Amino acid sequence: MNVIPCSIKTLKGLYDISGVEVGQHFYWQIGGLQIHAQVLITSWVVIAILLGSVIIAVRNPQTIPTDGQNFFEYVLEFIRDLSKTQIGEEYGPWVPFIGTMFLFIFVSNWSGALLPWKIIQLPHGELAAPTNDINTTVALALPTSAAYFYAGLTKKGLGYFGKYIQPTPILLPINILEDFTKPLSLSFRLFGNILADELVVVVLVSLVPSVVPIPVMLLGLFTSGIQALIFATLAAAYIGESMEGHH
Amino acid sequence: MKNVTDSFLSLGHWPSAGSFGFNTDILATNPINLSVVLGVLIFFGKGVLNDLLDNRKQRILSTIRNSEELRRGAIEQLERARTRLRKVEIEADEYRMNGYSEIEREKENLINATCDTLERLENYKNETLHFEQQRAINQVRQRVFQQALQGALGTLNSCLNSELHFRTIRANIGILGAVGEITD
């Protein structure tokens, strides 16, 4: 009978190493709402990183840019180029939106993968990338949906709804369905990628802590960067698609 | 058995362990792997990023230098055009001061020459007219004389017959006789 408590203790010890708490969130109570505080905290950190680095880099703008200024100018050029490719000529007003999407998602993904969040221990749940929560990604996808609606309506007025019967009226239900699947796919794609990568790394770390997770972590960096780019590109593509069409 | 299952069930409850704090478990917090990943990232990414940024900087520098060159070239051309303009203006002023008087003189000369020529031509015309008049008159006179002479000749021829001849001889003999008588 002593065997069973021993096995229980070792099992408890195993649980201490492999503490994968999925679905366990750290809740704050604001008014009548429960919010996921761990997502808020990591989001704040991401925002602080973004704003801080930009403020530091753009302090003393020179004509011949120095390192930080050069880097941020390069990022801005990249985002502008991306918007211009997808949206076309009137890409100017949309660069801040696309840039925000891209930078926030990119920095949050990479912060989740690179920063040692697990050092800070919360009562429930754990800190990780803010985009591993479906609420975050939906919160990113819904404004994108609203954005392309807004773009189409301001450019074409109520004639925007004529696009639902392009090219043939038979495709009307599919076009309407598309308006729902676009934000759905955006949010789930990002959420699934980031959460899955994070889970894989955590599981691998819990199994073989030292060297084996490294390739997966590198792959995770790569795919999370790609996901940020995909989100931004798709957002720009939807906006461009709803603004085009003065044939 | 119930104890065992109870213990296992109690294992199923997540421990509401913990408060805020620092997790110092190396295996869970994963710093080794993180540092390796960061190291790899920085090692490879630094080279690529520096390349990109250097390219960008060089492109900006060369663009600025090119536009400076173009600007300098344009300014030089402007200067050259301005000096040419000034030279041309000076020459134009000179022409305006000298050239006009020369033009006036030339004009005067030309006018005078033309007047002279006109006069000469006028004289020639008058002379020729006169000459032709004279010739015509002479011709007419000649014809008149000719006619007169012809008339006279005709009259004479018509009058000159032996009767007149005898008469003339008789008259002359009479005169000669009278003259002879006088001298005697």
Side-chain angles (χ1 to χ4, degrees):
Chain A
M1 283 306 283
N2 275 352
V3 179
I4 297 185
C6 264
S7 60
I8 291 177
K9 248 194 258 156
T10 48
L11 275 174
K12 252 212 169 77
L14 275 176
Y15 269 138
D16 280 345
I17 294 180
S18 63
V20 181
E21 301 188 352
V22 181
Q24 178 68 239
H25 296 293
F26 177 42
Y27 291 106
W28 279 350
Q29 200 74 20
I30 292 189
L33 300 170
Q34 260 188 343
I35 55 176
H36 294 174
Q38 86 269 18
V39 172
L40 273 189
I41 294 174
T42 48
S43 302
W44 289 338
V45 173
V46 166
I47 293 173
I49 292 176
L50 279 170
L51 285 179
S53 61
V54 167
I55 289 176
I56 290 179
V58 190
R59 250 182 317 191
N60 222 355
Q62 318 269 349
T63 311
I64 315 282
T66 52
D67 293 322
Q69 186 186 337
N70 202 3
F71 175 66
F72 278 98
E73 282 184 6
Y74 174 70
V75 170
L76 179 65
E77 260 182 32
F78 176 73
I79 296 174
R80 269 212 194 123
D81 194 44
L82 171 71
S83 319
K84 186 164 184 184
T85 318
Q86 297 297 330
I87 300 183
E89 275 314 314
E90 302 170 19
Y91 70 97
W94 295 105
V95 170
F97 178 71
I98 304 293
T100 310
M101 288 288 151
F102 176 70
L103 284 175
F104 180 75
I105 298 175
F106 188 82
V107 175
S108 63
N109 291 350
W110 270 31
S111 79
L114 289 177
L115 293 183
W117 287 116
K118 294 224 175 39
I119 289 184
I120 305 178
Q121 207 177 20
L122 299 177
H124 305 275
E126 52 190 17
L127 295 172
T131 38
N132 77 342
D133 192 343
I134 185 64
N135 299 309
T136 316
T137 55
V138 168
L140 290 167
L142 285 180
T144 308
S145 207
Y148 79 78
F149 257 103
Y150 171 76
L153 284 174
T154 50
K155 180 124 189 246
K156 297 192 220 165
L158 287 177
Y160 171 68
F161 294 107
K163 91 163 171 50
Y164 284 103
I165 51 175
Q166 300 286 3
T168 82
I170 299 179
L171 295 180
L172 177 66
I174 294 186
N175 282 331
I176 296 183
L177 192 63
E178 211 176 33
D179 274 335
F180 292 99
T181 59
K182 275 181 187 168
L184 201 69
S185 77
L186 277 176
S187 55
F188 268 94
R189 183 186 302 114
L190 183 60
F191 164 65
N193 265 289
I194 304 305
L195 181 66
D197 169 68
E198 188 186 305
L199 278 180
V200 165
V201 169
V202 165
V203 165
L204 275 182
V205 162
S206 71
L207 288 178
V208 188
S210 56
V211 173
V212 171
I214 291 182
V216 179
M217 290 171 83
L218 290 171
L219 178 69
L221 280 180
F222 174 65
T223 58
S224 56
I226 296 279
Q227 283 306 313
L229 183 63
I230 287 181
F231 196 101
T233 308
L234 277 178
Y238 294 156
I239 293 174
E241 181 192 3
S242 67
M243 286 210 309
E244 71 170 5
H246 279 296
H247 294 304
Chain B
M1 280 317 277
K2 200 163 165 295
N3 284 354
V4 175
T5 46
D6 272 350
S7 332
F8 270 116
L9 276 175
S10 73
L11 275 175
H13 292 300
W14 291 114
S16 47
S19 46
F20 293 96
F22 283 103
N23 190 351
T24 51
D25 187 359
I26 299 185
L27 291 180
T29 56
N30 217 9
I32 313 169
N33 292 340
L34 274 176
S35 43
V36 173
V37 167
L38 268 172
V40 167
L41 188 67
I42 291 179
F43 179 65
F44 288 112
K46 207 177 182 73
V48 169
L49 204 63
N50 278 341
D51 261 344
L52 277 171
L53 293 181
D54 271 338
N55 277 351
R56 185 165 183 274
K57 199 165 175 174
Q58 289 309 316
R59 218 180 345 121
I60 292 179
L61 271 173
S62 65
T63 312
I64 289 181
R65 235 179 284 138
N66 277 352
S67 39
E68 283 286 319
E69 286 287 333
L70 285 174
R71 181 172 167 270
R72 249 182 289 138
I75 288 182
E76 265 180 44
Q77 274 189 340
L78 181 65
E79 276 308 313
R80 256 183 272 141
R82 275 219 195 101
T83 47
R84 251 183 300 160
L85 177 67
R86 253 178 279 140
K87 244 190 296 170
V88 168
E89 267 182 10
I90 290 176
E91 276 181 25
D93 281 338
E94 270 186 34
Y95 277 147
R96 211 177 303 133
M97 284 186 299
N98 304 342
Y100 277 161
S101 52
E102 241 183 65
I103 289 176
E104 290 297 329
R105 247 183 297 133
E106 292 287 322
K107 200 167 62 171
E108 288 295 327
N109 289 350
L110 208 63
I111 288 180
N112 291 343
T114 319
C115 280
D116 288 342
T117 318
L118 265 179
E119 271 182 35
R120 242 179 311 135
L121 287 178
E122 190 81 32
N123 288 345
Y124 281 158
K125 177 186 86 173
N126 290 342
E127 273 184 26
T128 317
L129 267 178
H130 197 68
F131 178 69
E132 290 291 320
Q133 260 178 0
Q134 290 295 332
R135 194 165 74 157
I137 292 179
N138 282 344
Q139 262 186 356
V140 165
R141 247 192 239 147
Q142 221 178 22
R143 290 310 279 292
V144 164
F145 279 158
Q146 230 178 10
Q147 294 279 36
L149 280 179
Q150 267 184 358
L153 208 64
T155 320
L156 276 181
N157 280 341
S158 61
C159 289
L160 278 184
N161 42 16
S162 26
E163 155 102 35
L164 184 61
H165 198 204
F166 283 145
R167 268 213 331 239
T168 313
I169 290 176
R170 252 185 263 135
N172 282 342
I173 291 174
I175 292 172
L176 278 178
V179 168
E181 278 182 28
I182 292 173
T183 51
D184 283 342

